[in-house]
Amino acid sequence: MSDGFFKDVAQPISFGGLDSNDPLTYKVYEPDRLVLGKRMEEHLRIAVCMWHSFASPGEDMFGSGTFDRPWLGDGLDPIAAGRAKLDAAFEFVAKLGVPYFCFHDRDIAPEGRTFAETKARLEAMVDYAGEHMARTGVKLLWGTANLFGHPRYAAGAATNPDPEVFAYAAAQVKLVLEATQRLGGENYVLWGGREGYDTLLNTDLAREETQLARFLSLVAEHKHRIGFKGTLLIEPKPHEPTKHQYDHDAAIVHGFLVRHGLAGEFRLNIEANHATLSGHSFHHEIAYAVANDILGSIDANRGDYQNGWDTDQFPNSVDELALAMYEILRGGGLTTGGFNFDAKLRRQSLDRSDLFHGHIGGIDTLARALLAAAAIIEEGALERLRGERYAGWAGELGTSITSGRATLDELERKVATGAIDPKPVSGRQELLENVVNRQIWASGSRAGAGAAKIG
Ligand code: XLS
Ligand code: CA
Ligand code: CA
């Protein structure tokens, strides 16, 4: 027992292992355990998000808040309520024993009657968060501006038809980028909450793209002007709240960045549930980002197979996460990014301890997926078989094509003489799936499954 909002939970949550039947222990997550030469905590760089966990009362479209969040009550002094919220949040993160948190400006400080009042409130709460960070050692993974909640942003922020809204959003991002820098944040996220459209009938697509590019250029310029060392991240999402969002998926954002000369300035914050909403797997979105060297950070959660919206549930499938984790490890791992739990409790999860259970389960799932992915890398069969599949491209014919030496005339001549006569070969998908499952199933034991000889 201890003092505070979560007084029934002793701190910190420790590793209990699979034999522990205490639900308030980690079953797999051991921060100091070495995986491929790096501590588990350094691989995962876990963060708790302020919005779902502390700034939401648990409302849905059909009903009001159900959660026990006293600081969200009516008629409270915003600064006192904001302090109580941060007290509980930092108590939680410290007790969970993870290194980071993430926030939107509006999660910690409500908008005031004027811009000056909004700015003063934000600064007061940022200072207060800074005190908690110094006391607990909790760090900031990323900050972001909420450019979607206020009615002024109903038709978008950067892509709004009114340039005054663009200017307001720019002023807001400037404040939050500077606040993120002040708190030592390692990244800054831009999620285009309402950068998209509800109908094409009133939308000038070309103009809105130009506006969005200008906005992002201004953010990148300001980052350099103030000397912010963190990474700028764009978070793709295909729809919700708008019918179509411009930052649709990893490939579309990448194309946009390349078109506007911004590819070196931004990386991606990939969210699992947004990947599946866009019709891709989480695995695909990460593989795309790694292949194009734009992976930045991860929002960990999951959707629900039976509905088509953003349910933001805590991740619990090792099978799905192991492949995503495998791509991250193949790509060299996360640098300034981490795994932020952009996940929320179900509306009926009313106990204060439920927030611990959601995070503990999610963290253990990530840890187990990390072990499985590391085992797949160490075993090496997937990498070897993939390499063999493309081996021809290292030979004379392959290099003559990729270097640009071969012409269509030459290729036709070789085919016509019979020198080129390809035979189909197996893609061996089922064999590869079994290789993956073997390591997932074996990764619970410390020894793992060991290397396999697969010819
Ligand atoms: C909403 C997004 C949002 C971003 C940060 O769907 O996930 O929470 O992560 O603005
Ligand atoms: Ca997110
Ligand atoms: Ca989401």
Side-chain angles (χ1 to χ4, degrees):
M1 301 297 146
S2 63
D3 290 340
F5 185 73
F6 297 101
K7 56 181 174 308
D8 294 343
V9 175
Q11 64 173 326
I13 302 292
S14 57
F15 173 72
L18 290 172
D19 294 333
S20 166
N21 58 10
D22 177 355
L24 290 169
T25 58
Y26 291 115
K27 307 297 172 288
V28 188
Y29 181 62
E30 281 180 274
D32 291 330
R33 177 166 174 183
L34 285 182
V35 180
L36 299 179
K38 202 159 107 177
R39 292 172 58 247
M40 215 175 222
E41 184 179 70
E42 289 163 348
H43 274 288
L44 298 177
R45 299 166 54 80
I46 287 165
V48 169
C49 86
M50 283 294 303
W51 50 103
H52 288 314
S53 294
F54 297 95
S56 160
E59 81 282 24
D60 70 9
M61 307 249 297
F62 302 92
S64 55
T66 56
F67 297 158
D68 173 22
R69 302 283 184 268
W71 50 84
L72 299 179
D74 290 333
L76 301 174
D77 168 59
I79 296 294
R83 284 174 162 250
K85 186 195 289 178
L86 285 181
D87 293 343
F90 279 93
E91 181 194 346
F92 178 78
V93 181
K95 283 184 174 172
L96 198 61
V98 300
Y100 292 102
F101 79 108
C102 296
F103 77 105
H104 297 84
D105 47 359
R106 293 296 81 84
D107 301 333
I108 64 167
E111 188 146 339
R113 278 156 304 182
T114 61
F115 185 74
E117 188 179 50
T118 302
K119 182 174 175 181
R121 280 185 184 174
L122 180 70
E123 283 175 359
M125 295 321 299
V126 165
D127 286 346
Y128 194 59
E131 288 170 27
H132 273 300
M133 291 168 70
R135 184 181 53 78
T136 57
V138 171
K139 296 174 286 182
L140 176 60
L141 186 64
W142 50 263
T144 187
N146 178 328
L147 300 179
F148 43 88
H150 193 280
R152 81 171 66 83
Y153 298 126
T159 62
N160 200 286
D162 180 353
E164 291 201 3
V165 177
F166 180 109
Y168 212 99
Q172 194 179 330
V173 168
K174 175 181 179 291
L175 295 188
V176 189
L177 182 60
E178 290 171 3
T180 300
Q181 180 184 35
R182 215 158 84 221
L183 294 175
E186 299 187 28
N187 308 270
Y188 182 85
V189 164
L190 292 121
W191 170 58
R194 293 188 193 270
E195 313 295 17
Y197 58 78
D198 293 331
T199 173
L200 280 172
L201 298 178
N202 61 14
T203 302
D204 183 338
L205 278 182
R207 181 186 292 278
E208 294 201 359
E209 167 152 346
T210 311
Q211 288 175 213
L212 187 54
R214 188 86 288 276
F215 192 88
L216 295 175
S217 302
L218 287 171
V219 177
E221 279 164 31
H222 194 68
K223 165 192 157 156
H224 295 302
R225 187 166 309 135
I226 64 177
F228 175 59
K229 295 282 175 283
T231 309
L232 296 177
L233 301 172
I234 295 181
E235 181 177 324
K237 185 175 182 180
H239 42 253
E240 199 208 7
T242 67
K243 162 196 163 78
H244 173 93
Q245 306 219 163
Y246 298 132
D247 296 336
H248 213 77
D249 61 16
I252 286 176
V253 173
H254 182 224
F256 170 92
L257 292 173
V258 170
R259 258 193 323 281
H260 295 283
L262 291 167
E265 297 287 1
F266 292 87
R267 303 179 83 81
L268 300 186
N269 184 40
I270 308 249
E271 177 174 319
N273 202 171
H274 296 180
T276 47
L277 284 176
S278 70
H280 302 302
S281 63
F282 184 38
H283 183 193
H284 166 90
E285 288 290 87
I286 291 178
Y288 182 90
V290 169
N292 290 281
D293 192 21
I294 48 168
L295 179 66
S297 198
I298 303 292
D299 270 6
N301 59 21
R302 76 177 203 272
D304 185 301
Y305 291 113
Q306 282 168 280
N307 57 32
W309 66 88
D310 197 15
T311 62
D312 287 343
Q313 285 165 256
F314 284 90
N316 69 355
S317 165
V318 174
D319 289 14
E320 286 168 13
L321 279 175
L323 291 173
M325 202 68 86
Y326 170 67
E327 296 301 335
I328 294 173
L329 292 181
R330 279 186 77 219
L334 297 171
T335 53
T336 65
F339 280 86
N340 166 47
F341 278 95
D342 192 348
K344 64 181 173 200
L345 292 174
R346 298 306 89 189
R347 194 162 169 268
Q348 297 179 61
S349 300
L350 303 179
D351 296 344
R352 292 183 184 182
S353 59
D354 286 328
L355 200 55
F356 281 93
H357 299 310
H359 283 86
I360 288 171
I363 291 169
D364 274 335
T365 307
L366 288 183
R368 182 74 188 263
L370 173 69
L371 293 176
I376 295 169
I377 300 251
E378 277 179 327
E379 183 201 25
L382 281 195
E383 206 58 48
R384 184 169 53 77
L385 293 173
R386 189 195 325 242
E388 287 170 8
R389 189 160 185 246
Y390 291 92
W393 287 94
E396 164 52 26
L397 176 65
T399 52
S400 76
I401 295 170
T402 47
S403 67
R405 266 183 289 123
T407 62
L408 285 191
D409 278 341
E410 282 167 34
L411 294 175
E412 195 244 8
R413 244 190 332 272
K414 284 187 179 156
V415 172
T417 62
I420 290 179
D421 184 17
K423 302 276 181 301
V425 293
S426 174
R428 310 209 263 192
Q429 180 171 336
E430 294 76 10
L431 179 150
L432 298 172
E433 287 167 349
N434 294 348
V435 167
V436 168
N437 274 348
R438 176 168 175 261
Q439 295 301 344
I440 290 176
W441 297 334
S443 64
S445 71
R446 278 189 174 260
K453 287 220 181 345
I454 297 155

